Coordinates of all heavy atoms in Angstrom, one line a residue:
S571 N 5.4 -5.0 -9.1 CA 6.0 -6.3 -9.0 C 6.6 -6.5 -7.5 O 7.3 -5.6 -7.0 CB 7.2 -6.3 -10.0 OG 7.8 -7.6 -9.8
I572 N 6.2 -7.6 -7.0 CA 6.8 -8.0 -5.6 C 7.2 -9.4 -5.4 O 6.5 -10.3 -6.0 CB 5.7 -7.5 -4.6 CG1 6.3 -7.6 -3.0 CG2 4.4 -8.3 -4.6 CD1 5.5 -7.0 -2.0
G573 N 8.2 -9.6 -4.8 CA 8.6 -11.1 -4.5 C 8.0 -11.6 -3.3 O 8.0 -10.8 -2.2
V574 N 7.6 -12.8 -3.4 CA 6.8 -13.4 -2.3 C 7.7 -13.5 -1.0 O 7.3 -13.2 0.0 CB 6.2 -14.7 -2.6 CG1 5.5 -15.4 -1.5 CG2 5.2 -14.6 -3.8
E575 N 9.0 -14.0 -1.3 CA 9.9 -14.2 -0.3 C 10.3 -13.0 0.6 O 10.4 -12.9 1.8 CB 11.1 -15.0 -0.7 CG 10.9 -16.5 -1.1 CD 10.3 -16.6 -2.5 OE1 10.1 -15.5 -3.2 OE2 10.2 -17.7 -3.0
R576 N 10.5 -12.0 -0.2 CA 10.8 -10.7 0.4 C 9.7 -10.2 1.2 O 9.9 -9.5 2.2 CB 11.3 -9.7 -0.7 CG 12.7 -9.9 -1.3 CD 13.2 -8.7 -2.0 NE 14.4 -9.2 -2.7 CZ 15.1 -8.3 -3.5 NH1 14.7 -7.1 -3.7 NH2 16.1 -8.9 -4.2
L577 N 8.6 -10.4 0.7 CA 7.4 -9.9 1.5 C 7.2 -10.8 2.7 O 6.9 -10.3 3.7 CB 6.1 -10.0 0.6 CG 4.8 -9.6 1.3 CD1 4.9 -8.1 1.9 CD2 3.6 -9.6 0.3
M578 N 7.4 -12.1 2.6 CA 7.3 -13.0 3.7 C 8.3 -12.6 4.8 O 7.9 -12.6 6.0 CB 7.5 -14.5 3.2 CG 7.2 -15.5 4.3 SD 7.0 -17.0 3.3 CE 7.5 -18.1 4.6
M579 N 9.5 -12.2 4.3 CA 10.6 -11.8 5.4 C 10.1 -10.5 6.1 O 10.3 -10.3 7.3 CB 11.8 -11.4 4.6 CG 12.9 -12.5 4.7 SD 14.4 -12.1 3.7 CE 15.2 -11.0 4.8
A580 N 9.5 -9.6 5.4 CA 9.0 -8.3 5.9 C 7.9 -8.6 6.9 O 7.8 -8.0 7.9 CB 8.5 -7.3 4.8
V581 N 6.9 -9.5 6.4 CA 5.8 -9.9 7.3 C 6.4 -10.5 8.7 O 5.9 -10.1 9.7 CB 4.9 -10.9 6.6 CG1 3.9 -11.6 7.5 CG2 4.1 -10.1 5.5
M582 N 7.4 -11.4 8.5 CA 7.8 -12.1 9.7 C 8.6 -11.1 10.5 O 8.6 -11.2 11.7 CB 8.8 -13.3 9.4 CG 7.9 -14.4 8.7 SD 8.7 -15.9 8.5 CE 8.7 -16.7 10.2

Side-chain angles (χ1 to χ4, degrees):
S571 173
I572 187 161
V574 178
E575 290 81 355
R576 285 194 192 180
L577 180 55
M578 192 162 152
M579 262 178 82
V581 164
M582 289 190 85

